Amino acid sequence: MSEMIDQSELQSRAVRLVEAARKAGADSCDAVAVTGVSLAVDVREGKVEETERAEGDDVTLRVFVGKRTAAVSANQLDDPGTLAERAVAMARVAPEDPYAGLADEHLLVRNMPGLELLDSREMTADVLADIALEAETAGLAVAGVSKSGGAGASWRLAGVVLATSHGFEGSYMTSRYGMSMTAVAGEGTGMERDYDFDSRTYFEDLDAPAAIGRRAGERAVRRLNPQKLSTRTTNVIYESRAARSILGHLTGAINGASIARKTSFLKDRMGEAIFAPGIQVVDDPFKRRGGATRPFDGEGTAASVLHMIEDGILQHWFLDGASARELGLDPNGRAHRSGSGTSPGATNITLMPGELSLDTLMAEAGSGLLVSDLIGHGVNGITGDYSRGAAGFWFENGEIVEPVSEITIAGNLNDMFKRLVPGSDLDNRYSAATPSVMIEGMALAGS
């Protein structure tokens, strides 16, 4: 791995840019150097359809002249001085931003924790093809599956370095392995498709390819012959895969930038109960082998585990330096680097599980809609109004009766959060982790 990504060279690039910017007249600055290599193989109907390998390097210099800021990026760093001079010249004519600036020195990370971010296993195209073919074969073996929608396997290695003019130098490397399979069931106009996938930091943590393919096939078959529902008010249960979107809506609503702009329906709710008692939502930047685990954030600041929702009560916003200054608060290590600057956001966020299994949630609900897939992005972040296309299964007396599709579920996130009941089947594989959740009394628009 060290032969593929030279962290010392990355660090040298970042440090040279910082030094050049100070010489060019920047009051302060930081530089990010990123490099990576990725390999992906797609197969269909037993044959390799596409193999793609990508390698890339990128450096971004951000400079501050007073309260004015600018950033420039480059793929190569042949002349740090020219790049730095261009950035400083841009900053001098930029509008002032009263909240711009580097993180305060006392907030910077001093000791890098060990977080198991790098698996040393290097993948070849042949190995990835074998993985994808195994997943596809298992999916096609499921009774009722008529064809493959394709399968894929991938591997990625990345290195990141951040250097600042006030003395911070940090770096880390990450790996990522993934696989997926899409199965098609039925014939003609009655065909249905579904998929399954997995993505992990360590290869050994991936589900078996055969399990991925089999689940994709089973999910496609159970969607055959969907029915339509009449408009009604009903209980809705989101499978854990679909429930991650609910967690995403919460994450967006408690983003410090949205709060500062007053574009969140939760902007005045800090310290209030927005969920039922007992609900816990935790954001953990140090989760071992986590999808969003990192030793420092996009500004080099330290972070801690945050209980965003504790016993149903909203406790924190996600804050980077700029949003924290605008709100008169302290940043909490949630800065994400995004091109020329930073923006706040979650790391590994988890809706903690409850005590009831998915079967028990269905039994307690009696009848309702089990959502397996959502369509569209019909959520108003300012009002919390919610409307999404959905497909899934209608259940009666706690038992699935039939697949359903072409329906819309609607409500308001304020009310939905209050009525949310988490199940016990936490899917902890991804950076946004949830169990299945039940929400009573949602509007369902059908035929």
Side-chain angles (χ1 to χ4, degrees), residues 257-311:
S258 297
I259 302 303
R261 292 193 301 264
K262 302 188 184 302
T263 56
S264 167
F265 65 95
L266 294 179
K267 65 182 184 299
D268 300 318
R269 303 293 301 280
M270 179 60 70
E272 296 183 14
I274 63 172
F275 286 87
I279 299 295
Q280 313 284 339
V281 176
V282 179
D283 190 70
D284 183 1
F286 307 128
K287 179 181 177 182
R288 298 278 172 174
R289 305 187 179 188
T293 299
R294 58 196 185 186
F296 53 86
D297 76 349
E299 297 177 312
T301 57
S304 62
V305 177
L306 295 179
H307 291 256
M308 308 302 294
I309 307 294
E310 191 166 9
D311 197 25

Coordinates of all heavy atoms in Angstrom, one line a residue, residues 257-311:
A257 N -25.0 24.8 9.3 CA -25.2 25.8 8.2 C -26.6 26.1 7.9 O -27.0 27.2 7.7 CB -24.5 25.3 6.9
S258 N -27.5 25.1 8.0 CA -28.9 25.3 7.8 C -29.5 26.1 8.9 O -30.4 26.9 8.7 CB -29.6 23.9 7.7 OG -29.2 23.2 6.5
I259 N -29.0 25.8 10.1 CA -29.5 26.6 11.3 C -29.1 28.0 11.2 O -29.9 28.9 11.4 CB -29.0 26.0 12.6 CG1 -29.4 24.5 12.7 CG2 -29.4 26.8 13.8 CD1 -30.8 24.2 12.7
A260 N -27.9 28.3 10.8 CA -27.4 29.7 10.6 C -28.2 30.4 9.5 O -28.5 31.6 9.7 CB -25.9 29.7 10.3
R261 N -28.5 29.7 8.5 CA -29.3 30.3 7.4 C -30.8 30.4 7.7 O -31.6 31.0 6.9 CB -29.1 29.6 6.1 CG -27.7 29.6 5.5 CD -27.7 29.1 4.1 NE -28.1 27.7 4.0 CZ -27.3 26.7 4.0 NH1 -26.0 26.8 4.1 NH2 -27.8 25.4 3.9
K262 N -31.2 29.8 8.8 CA -32.6 29.7 9.2 C -33.5 29.0 8.1 O -34.6 29.3 7.8 CB -33.2 31.1 9.5 CG -32.4 31.8 10.6 CD -33.1 33.1 11.0 CE -32.3 33.8 12.0 NZ -32.0 33.1 13.2
T263 N -32.9 27.9 7.6 CA -33.6 27.1 6.5 C -33.9 25.7 7.0 O -34.2 24.8 6.2 CB -32.8 27.0 5.3 OG1 -31.5 26.4 5.6 CG2 -32.6 28.4 4.6
S264 N -34.0 25.5 8.3 CA -34.3 24.2 8.9 C -35.6 24.3 9.8 O -35.7 25.3 10.5 CB -33.2 23.7 9.8 OG -33.6 22.6 10.6
F265 N -36.4 23.4 9.7 CA -37.7 23.3 10.5 C -37.3 23.1 12.0 O -38.2 23.2 12.8 CB -38.7 22.3 10.0 CG -38.2 20.9 10.1 CD1 -38.6 20.1 11.2 CD2 -37.4 20.3 9.1 CE1 -38.1 18.8 11.3 CE2 -37.0 19.0 9.2 CZ -37.4 18.2 10.3
L266 N -36.1 22.8 12.3 CA -35.7 22.5 13.7 C -34.9 23.7 14.2 O -34.3 23.6 15.3 CB -34.9 21.2 13.8 CG -35.7 19.9 13.5 CD1 -34.8 18.7 13.7 CD2 -36.9 19.8 14.5
K267 N -34.8 24.8 13.6 CA -33.9 25.9 13.9 C -34.1 26.5 15.3 O -33.2 27.0 15.9 CB -34.0 27.1 12.9 CG -35.4 27.8 12.8 CD -35.4 28.8 11.7 CE -36.7 29.7 11.7 NZ -37.9 28.8 11.5
D268 N -35.3 26.4 15.9 CA -35.6 26.9 17.2 C -35.9 25.8 18.2 O -36.4 26.1 19.3 CB -36.8 27.9 17.1 CG -36.6 29.0 16.2 OD1 -35.5 29.6 16.2 OD2 -37.6 29.3 15.4
R269 N -35.4 24.6 17.9 CA -35.8 23.5 18.8 C -34.7 22.9 19.7 O -34.9 21.9 20.3 CB -36.4 22.4 17.9 CG -37.5 22.8 17.0 CD -38.8 23.1 17.8 NE -39.2 21.9 18.6 CZ -39.9 20.9 18.1 NH1 -40.2 20.8 16.9 NH2 -40.2 19.9 18.9
M270 N -33.6 23.6 19.7 CA -32.5 23.1 20.6 C -32.9 23.0 22.0 O -33.6 23.9 22.6 CB -31.3 24.0 20.5 CG -30.1 23.6 21.4 SD -29.5 22.0 21.0 CE -28.7 22.3 19.4
G271 N -32.7 21.8 22.7 CA -33.0 21.6 24.0 C -34.5 21.1 24.2 O -34.9 20.8 25.3
E272 N -35.2 20.9 23.1 CA -36.6 20.4 23.2 C -36.7 19.0 22.8 O -35.8 18.4 22.1 CB -37.5 21.3 22.2 CG -37.6 22.8 22.6 CD -38.5 23.5 21.7 OE1 -39.3 22.9 21.0 OE2 -38.5 24.8 21.7
A273 N -37.8 18.4 23.2 CA -38.0 17.0 22.8 C -38.6 17.0 21.4 O -39.7 17.5 21.2 CB -39.0 16.3 23.8
I274 N -37.9 16.4 20.5 CA -38.4 16.3 19.1 C -38.7 14.8 18.7 O -39.3 14.6 17.7 CB -37.4 16.9 18.1 CG1 -36.1 16.2 18.1 CG2 -37.2 18.4 18.4 CD1 -35.1 16.6 16.9
F275 N -38.2 13.9 19.6 CA -38.6 12.5 19.5 C -39.3 12.1 20.8 O -39.3 12.8 21.8 CB -37.4 11.6 19.2 CG -36.8 11.7 17.8 CD1 -35.9 12.7 17.5 CD2 -37.2 10.8 16.8 CE1 -35.3 12.8 16.3 CE2 -36.6 10.9 15.6 CZ -35.7 11.9 15.3
A276 N -39.8 10.9 20.8 CA -40.4 10.3 22.0 C -39.3 10.0 23.0 O -38.1 9.9 22.7 CB -41.2 9.1 21.6
P277 N -39.7 10.0 24.3 CA -38.7 9.6 25.3 C -38.0 8.3 25.0 O -38.7 7.4 24.5 CB -39.5 9.6 26.6 CG -40.7 10.5 26.3 CD -41.0 10.3 24.9
G278 N -36.7 8.2 25.3 CA -36.0 7.0 25.1 C -35.3 6.9 23.7 O -34.3 6.1 23.6
I279 N -35.6 7.8 22.8 CA -34.9 7.8 21.5 C -33.5 8.4 21.6 O -33.3 9.4 22.2 CB -35.7 8.5 20.4 CG1 -37.1 7.9 20.3 CG2 -35.0 8.6 19.1 CD1 -37.1 6.5 19.7
Q280 N -32.5 7.7 21.1 CA -31.1 8.1 21.1 C -30.6 8.1 19.7 O -30.7 7.1 18.9 CB -30.3 7.1 22.0 CG -30.9 6.8 23.3 CD -30.8 7.9 24.3 OE1 -29.9 8.8 24.2 NE2 -31.6 7.8 25.4
V281 N -29.9 9.2 19.3 CA -29.2 9.3 18.1 C -27.7 9.7 18.4 O -27.5 10.8 19.0 CB -29.8 10.3 17.1 CG1 -29.0 10.4 15.8 CG2 -31.2 9.8 16.7
V282 N -26.8 8.9 18.0 CA -25.4 9.1 18.4 C -24.5 9.3 17.1 O -24.7 8.5 16.2 CB -24.8 7.9 19.2 CG1 -23.4 8.1 19.6 CG2 -25.7 7.7 20.5
D283 N -23.6 10.3 17.2 CA -22.7 10.5 16.1 C -21.3 10.2 16.6 O -20.8 10.8 17.5 CB -22.8 11.9 15.5 CG -22.0 12.1 14.2 OD1 -22.5 11.5 13.2 OD2 -21.0 12.7 14.3
D284 N -20.6 9.2 15.9 CA -19.3 8.7 16.5 C -18.2 8.8 15.4 O -18.2 7.9 14.5 CB -19.5 7.3 17.0 CG -18.2 6.7 17.6 OD1 -17.2 7.4 17.6 OD2 -18.2 5.5 18.0
P285 N -17.3 9.8 15.4 CA -16.3 9.9 14.4 C -15.2 8.8 14.6 O -14.3 8.7 13.7 CB -15.7 11.3 14.6 CG -16.0 11.6 16.1 CD -17.3 10.9 16.4
F286 N -15.2 8.1 15.7 CA -14.1 7.1 16.0 C -14.6 5.7 15.9 O -13.9 4.8 16.4 CB -13.6 7.4 17.4 CG -13.2 8.8 17.6 CD1 -13.6 9.5 18.7 CD2 -12.3 9.5 16.7 CE1 -13.2 10.9 18.9 CE2 -11.9 10.8 16.9 CZ -12.4 11.5 18.0
K287 N -15.7 5.4 15.3 CA -16.2 4.1 15.1 C -15.2 3.3 14.4 O -14.8 3.6 13.3 CB -17.6 4.1 14.4 CG -18.2 2.8 14.1 CD -19.5 3.0 13.4 CE -20.1 1.6 13.0 NZ -21.4 1.9 12.2
R288 N -14.7 2.2 15.0 CA -13.7 1.3 14.3 C -14.2 0.8 13.0 O -15.3 0.3 12.9 CB -13.4 0.1 15.2 CG -12.8 0.5 16.6 CD -11.3 0.8 16.5 NE -10.8 1.3 17.7 CZ -9.5 1.6 17.9 NH1 -8.6 1.3 17.0 NH2 -9.1 2.0 19.1
R289 N -13.4 1.0 12.0 CA -13.7 0.6 10.6 C -15.0 1.2 10.0 O -15.6 0.7 9.1 CB -13.8 -0.9 10.5 CG -12.6 -1.7 11.1 CD -12.6 -3.2 10.8 NE -11.4 -3.8 11.3 CZ -11.1 -5.1 11.1 NH1 -12.0 -5.9 10.4 NH2 -10.0 -5.7 11.6
G290 N -15.4 2.3 10.6 CA -16.6 3.0 10.1 C -16.5 3.6 8.8 O -15.4 4.0 8.4
G291 N -17.6 3.8 8.1 CA -17.6 4.4 6.8 C -17.2 5.8 6.7 O -16.7 6.3 5.7
A292 N -17.4 6.5 7.9 CA -17.1 8.0 7.9 C -16.1 8.3 9.1 O -16.0 9.4 9.5 CB -18.3 8.8 8.1
T293 N -15.4 7.2 9.5 CA -14.4 7.4 10.6 C -13.2 8.2 10.1 O -12.7 8.0 9.0 CB -14.0 6.0 11.1 OG1 -15.1 5.3 11.6 CG2 -13.0 6.2 12.2
R294 N -12.7 9.1 11.0 CA -11.5 9.9 10.6 C -10.9 10.4 11.9 O -11.5 10.6 12.9 CB -12.0 11.1 9.7 CG -13.0 11.9 10.4 CD -13.7 12.9 9.5 NE -14.6 13.8 10.2 CZ -15.4 14.6 9.7 NH1 -15.5 14.7 8.4 NH2 -16.2 15.4 10.4
P295 N -9.5 10.6 11.9 CA -8.9 11.1 13.1 C -9.0 12.5 13.3 O -8.8 13.0 14.4 CB -7.4 10.7 12.8 CG -7.3 10.7 11.3 CD -8.6 10.2 10.8
F296 N -9.3 13.3 12.3 CA -9.5 14.8 12.4 C -10.5 15.2 11.3 O -10.7 14.5 10.3 CB -8.2 15.5 12.3 CG -7.4 15.3 11.1 CD1 -7.7 15.9 9.9 CD2 -6.4 14.3 11.1 CE1 -7.0 15.7 8.8 CE2 -5.7 14.0 9.9 CZ -6.0 14.7 8.8
D297 N -11.1 16.4 11.5 CA -12.1 16.8 10.5 C -11.4 17.7 9.5 O -10.2 17.8 9.4 CB -13.3 17.5 11.2 CG -12.9 18.9 11.7 OD1 -11.8 19.3 11.7 OD2 -13.9 19.7 12.1
G298 N -12.2 18.3 8.6 CA -11.7 19.1 7.5 C -11.0 20.3 7.9 O -10.4 21.0 7.0
E299 N -11.0 20.7 9.2 CA -10.2 21.8 9.6 C -9.1 21.4 10.6 O -8.4 22.3 11.1 CB -11.2 22.8 10.4 CG -12.2 23.4 9.4 CD -13.2 24.3 10.1 OE1 -13.7 23.9 11.2 OE2 -13.5 25.4 9.6
G300 N -8.9 20.1 10.8 CA -7.9 19.6 11.7 C -8.3 19.7 13.2 O -7.5 19.5 14.1
T301 N -9.6 19.9 13.4 CA -10.0 20.0 14.8 C -10.4 18.6 15.4 O -10.8 17.7 14.7 CB -11.2 20.9 15.0 OG1 -12.3 20.5 14.1 CG2 -10.9 22.3 14.5
A302 N -10.3 18.6 16.7 CA -10.6 17.4 17.5 C -12.1 17.2 17.5 O -12.9 18.2 17.5 CB -10.0 17.4 18.9
A303 N -12.6 16.0 17.7 CA -14.0 15.7 17.8 C -14.2 14.7 19.0 O -13.3 14.2 19.5 CB -14.5 15.1 16.5
S304 N -15.4 14.6 19.3 CA -15.8 13.6 20.3 C -17.1 12.9 19.9 O -17.8 13.4 19.0 CB -16.0 14.3 21.7 OG -17.0 15.2 21.7
V305 N -17.5 11.9 20.6 CA -18.8 11.2 20.3 C -19.9 12.2 20.8 O -19.8 12.7 22.0 CB -18.9 9.9 21.1 CG1 -20.3 9.3 20.9 CG2 -17.8 8.9 20.5
L306 N -20.8 12.5 20.0 CA -21.9 13.4 20.4 C -23.3 12.6 20.4 O -23.6 11.9 19.5 CB -22.0 14.5 19.4 CG -20.9 15.5 19.3 CD1 -21.2 16.6 18.2 CD2 -20.6 16.2 20.6
H307 N -24.0 12.8 21.5 CA -25.3 12.3 21.6 C -26.3 13.4 21.0 O -26.7 14.3 21.8 CB -25.7 11.9 23.0 CG -24.9 10.7 23.5 ND1 -25.5 9.5 23.6 CD2 -23.6 10.6 23.8 CE1 -24.5 8.6 24.1 NE2 -23.4 9.3 24.2
M308 N -26.5 13.3 19.7 CA -27.3 14.4 19.1 C -28.7 14.4 19.6 O -29.2 15.5 19.9 CB -27.3 14.1 17.6 CG -25.9 14.0 16.9 SD -24.8 15.3 17.2 CE -25.6 16.7 16.3
I309 N -29.3 13.3 19.8 CA -30.6 13.2 20.4 C -30.5 12.3 21.6 O -30.0 11.1 21.5 CB -31.7 12.5 19.5 CG1 -31.7 13.3 18.1 CG2 -33.1 12.5 20.1 CD1 -32.2 14.7 18.2
E310 N -30.8 12.8 22.8 CA -30.7 12.0 24.0 C -32.0 12.0 24.8 O -32.6 13.1 25.1 CB -29.6 12.6 24.9 CG -29.2 11.8 26.1 CD -28.0 12.2 26.8 OE1 -27.4 13.3 26.4 OE2 -27.5 11.5 27.6
D311 N -32.6 10.8 24.9 CA -33.9 10.6 25.5 C -34.9 11.5 24.8 O -35.8 12.1 25.4 CB -33.8 11.0 27.0 CG -35.1 10.5 27.8 OD1 -35.7 9.5 27.3 OD2 -35.4 11.0 28.8

